[in-house]
């Protein structure tokens, strides 16, 4: 837990894209109930919200969850958010996992997808094996193996699957990924997507194009200004809506 305490989420979010229509949290409607498999993972100790819900960091994550709920379009169905950041080491995977726990705690079906097929981390954060994940579903057109998490009955996790350094971008840009996203929209109230750093790979741009909503993350005294500016420039080409930006401090 020490690493988490050293990496608190800065309470202030910057350049929030829009305000809520009426200032109230609204939960999206979903389709048929999700059949959650038997739990095969459990939250690692680094996930504060799962183990220390009253920690100040946990409260900041819940505050960010509220801001995201207020910035979703009314009647838009599932709240689907891609987390992107310019550089490695900015806390993107950790925040994606914490937000997934926070949304699942609302009692609505929540899906966390590890779309980082370069250096995946979600299987480590939730103590899962990384077999038959997203890459396998995309390459083999097999049903994705969604994992349940002990103590979080409303959370499903799709790990990255096999690491694909040379073909990840092509798979994410294909119709198969788009079809999966649209299927999940009808089943889940909340979806979070982890992605690799934009500075090194364009995978996050491909995911943003398919999903449509983005939360950007930078790290104070770590992310170069030019990289943060370039991230926004490149996101503009995807036509995805930037819901807001977070500064991580650790």
């Amino acid at each position: 837990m020490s690493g988490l305490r050293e990496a608190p989420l800065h309470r202030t979010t910057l350049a929030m894209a829009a305000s809520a229509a009426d200032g109230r949290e609204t939960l999206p409607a979903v389709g048929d109930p999700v059949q959650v498999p038997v739990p095969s993972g459990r939250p690692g100790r680094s996930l504060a919200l799962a183990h220390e819900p009253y920690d100040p960091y946990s409260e900041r994550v819940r505050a960010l969850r509220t801001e995201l709920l207020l910035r979703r379009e009314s009647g838009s169905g599932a709240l689907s958010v891609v987390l992107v950041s310019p550089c490695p080491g900015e806390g993107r995977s950790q925040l994606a996992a914490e937000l997934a726990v926070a949304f699942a705690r609302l009692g609505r079906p929540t899906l966390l997808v590890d779309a980082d097929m370069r250096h995946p981390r979600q299987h480590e954060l939730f103590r899962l094996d990384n077999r038959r994940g997203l890459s396998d579903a995309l390459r083999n057109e097999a049903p994705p193996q969604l994992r349940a998490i002990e103590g979080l009955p409303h959370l499903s996790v799709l790990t990255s699957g096999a690491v694909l350094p040379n073909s990840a971008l092509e798979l994410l840009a294909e119709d198969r990924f788009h079809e999966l996203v649209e299927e999940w929209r009808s089943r889940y109230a909340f979806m979070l997507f982890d992605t690799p750093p934009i500075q090194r790979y364009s995978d996050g741009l491909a995911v943003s194009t398919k999903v449509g909503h983005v939360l950007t993350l930078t790290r104070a005294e770590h992310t170069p200004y030019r990289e943060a500016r370039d991230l926004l420039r490149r996101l503009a080409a995807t036509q995805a809506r930037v819901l807001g930006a977070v500064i991580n401090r650790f």
Side-chain angles (χ1 to χ4, degrees):
M1 185 63 75
S2 61
L4 191 62
R5 292 186 182 279
E6 293 170 3
L9 176 68
H10 185 38
R11 175 61 185 87
T12 303
T13 53
L14 305 180
M16 297 306 289
S19 60
D22 57 9
R24 296 175 296 175
E25 282 189 31
T26 55
L27 301 184
V30 293
D32 297 333
V34 176
Q35 299 299 316
V36 179
V38 175
S40 59
R42 62 188 187 279
R45 292 300 305 175
S46 66
L47 295 177
L49 206 60
H51 298 285
E52 296 189 26
Y54 302 109
D55 185 89
Y57 173 67
S58 299
E59 180 56 35
R60 286 190 284 269
V61 174
R62 285 192 291 268
L64 178 58
R65 175 192 66 188
T66 297
E67 293 182 10
L68 290 172
L69 283 168
L70 292 174
R71 282 157 178 79
R72 61 179 292 271
E73 300 97 334
S74 59
S76 61
L79 174 60
S80 310
V81 183
V82 183
L83 277 79
V84 298
S85 72
C87 308
E90 292 167 327
R92 180 188 55 259
S93 296
Q94 181 80 28
L95 181 57
E98 296 281 11
L99 279 173
V101 173
F103 278 113
R105 286 278 170 83
L106 292 177
R108 306 298 299 279
T110 302
L111 175 63
L112 172 62
V113 178
D114 194 343
D116 184 350
M117 292 180 280
R118 314 284 186 161
H119 302 283
R121 284 204 61 217
Q122 296 303 331
H123 65 287
E124 298 174 352
L125 292 171
F126 287 96
R127 299 179 181 177
L128 292 160
D129 68 71
N130 197 22
R131 294 174 294 179
R132 293 182 58 191
L134 177 62
S135 62
D136 304 282
L138 295 178
R139 285 188 304 172
N140 305 323
E141 297 193 0
Q145 188 175 71
L146 305 181
R147 313 293 184 86
I149 304 300
E150 181 180 313
L152 294 165
H154 300 285
L155 177 62
S156 299
V157 177
L158 177 60
T159 65
S160 72
V163 175
L164 300 175
N166 299 318
S167 58
L169 177 58
E170 289 76 8
L171 287 174
L172 292 169
E174 290 181 354
D175 290 340
R176 170 62 174 162
F177 180 65
H178 176 73
E179 292 168 359
L180 286 174
V181 170
E182 293 306 307
E183 176 186 339
W184 295 330
R185 284 190 206 277
S186 66
R187 300 175 58 198
Y188 291 91
F190 309 112
M191 299 191 297
L192 287 304
F193 294 79
D194 190 11
T195 61
I198 297 293
Q199 178 196 48
R200 295 187 177 182
Y201 312 105
S202 297
D203 303 18
L205 301 176
V207 177
S208 300
T209 299
K210 304 294 187 183
V211 175
H213 294 106
V214 175
L215 179 68
T216 67
L217 177 69
T218 56
R219 178 178 166 187
E221 300 180 3
H222 174 85
T223 306
Y225 172 73
R226 65 181 180 277
E227 299 296 345
R229 182 181 58 187
D230 187 60
L231 169 65
L232 295 176
R233 180 187 62 81
R234 298 179 69 186
L235 280 173
T238 69
Q239 298 185 341
R241 181 186 174 203
V242 178
L243 296 179
V246 172
I247 298 176
N248 213 352
R249 297 183 183 274
F250 60 96

